[in-house]
Amino acid sequence: MTSSLLTPRRRSRVGTTGGVTATGSTAPTRILDWRDPLVTSLLDGIDVAADSETVRRIETLRHAHRRITGAVRPVYSVQDERPVSEVLRRGRGSCSQRLAVLEAVARAAGVATRVRGLLVDGAFWYPRFPRLRRIVPDQVLLAWPEFRLGDAPSTSWLAVSELFGSLGELSAGLDAGFTNSGSETLFEALSRTAIDWDGATLCPTAGAGCDLSAYVLADLGHFDSRDELFARHGQTLCPVARVLAEPVMGRHRAA
């Protein structure tokens, strides 16, 4: 049983397909305030020699992902619209906030980003809150980043799920998929295992699965930024719930 009492009112999300032609951008936004020195410093010393611009961009983002993993402690913050610079100053952030940091670093490196809006069943988070299921939101709005591999708007996009390899490669020889329990979050997991929201991967039959498509309630399409996604669909929790929950959840280590 999940709760709909904590979610924004009067939001029509299911079946929405806005933002499908989003071309992304490298521009700073209120959330992705990449001109802040704390953001640009994450690129210091990353000098990738590669045969192609595509490979250089991917390797740069892989290095940045590892730095963010070490620099930002995972917590259960519920303020998805918190600016990236503030997340870095606090040194802690939710999975969503750390994904935003990676987006901001990408834009600072000249890589255009956009997000795919996914409405995920709250039951996906049950393993993290076994005794608090009644207060888990029934729907969680997830901003899943994508990175443009070339400069032209028509260039192919790379979902963060495949930053460390294709879903097929990441699922091959899988010893453990993502369980959404313990200290590992989606942010760390995507570097070692397939995170498949579309059911397009042939996952191993043993162990935790990598096909998470059963938890997707709606695909809201693509948006030029997470700012645009949240402006259109709201955050997961309503403002009052965020104000009440953040002082506690925002410091509670993900575990």
Side-chain angles (χ1 to χ4, degrees):
M1 179 178 181
T2 52
S3 174
S4 61
L5 299 177
L6 306 178
T7 54
R9 300 293 92 197
R10 300 191 208 48
R11 292 280 184 176
S12 177
R13 288 170 169 171
V14 178
T16 303
T17 56
V20 292
T21 59
T23 57
S25 175
T26 59
T29 67
R30 192 187 71 80
I31 299 176
L32 307 177
D33 57 344
W34 63 258
R35 289 199 173 102
D36 189 283
L38 286 177
V39 182
T40 55
S41 67
L42 289 172
L43 288 169
D44 290 348
I46 298 179
D47 187 14
V48 177
D51 295 333
S52 70
E53 178 64 13
T54 294
V55 173
R56 187 194 68 80
R57 290 182 176 190
I58 292 174
E59 287 300 322
T60 297
L61 293 177
R62 287 178 177 178
H63 282 287
H65 179 276
R66 296 185 186 103
R67 288 189 174 183
I68 296 165
T69 299
V72 184
R73 178 168 60 93
V75 295
Y76 292 123
S77 176
V78 295
Q79 295 287 6
D80 286 336
E81 291 187 345
R82 177 167 289 155
V84 162
S85 59
E86 186 177 344
V87 173
L88 290 172
R89 286 189 183 89
R90 291 169 179 256
R92 61 181 186 270
S94 67
C95 182
S96 176
Q97 290 168 345
R98 291 192 292 164
L99 286 170
V101 174
L102 183 59
E103 284 181 72
V105 172
R107 292 191 177 204
V111 180
T113 75
R114 67 183 185 184
V115 296
R116 180 185 179 189
L118 295 172
L119 202 60
V120 181
D121 192 328
F124 179 58
W125 278 267
Y126 276 178
R128 292 196 178 274
F129 304 97
R131 298 180 181 178
L132 299 173
R133 291 185 178 184
R134 290 183 179 274
I135 66 170
V136 174
D138 58 349
Q139 301 175 347
V140 175
L141 182 60
L142 183 62
W144 201 243
E146 296 184 358
F147 308 98
R148 198 163 71 199
L149 296 182
D151 294 323
S154 60
T155 307
S156 61
W157 288 85
L158 180 73
V160 71
S161 313
E162 299 191 278
L163 181 59
F164 288 87
S166 69
L167 292 180
E169 292 170 338
L170 290 168
S171 66
L174 187 68
D175 58 349
F178 181 64
T179 62
N180 209 3
S181 61
S183 60
E184 185 182 57
T185 71
L186 281 170
F187 186 81
E188 290 92 16
L190 63 86
S191 68
R192 68 163 188 86
T193 187
I195 304 294
D196 179 10
W197 298 112
D198 297 297
T201 307
L202 183 62
C203 303
T205 56
C210 58
D211 180 0
L212 306 179
S213 60
Y215 292 103
V216 177
L217 301 176
D219 183 344
L220 304 178
H222 292 92
F223 298 81
D224 287 324
S225 70
R226 60 180 52 228
D227 302 60
E228 180 185 339
L229 170 64
F230 294 139
R232 187 163 188 171
H233 293 286
Q235 297 180 61
T236 293
L237 297 180
C238 65
V240 172
R242 293 199 303 272
V243 169
L244 295 176
E246 182 63 22
V248 177
M249 303 300 288
R251 292 180 177 274
H252 188 64
R253 189 176 184 89

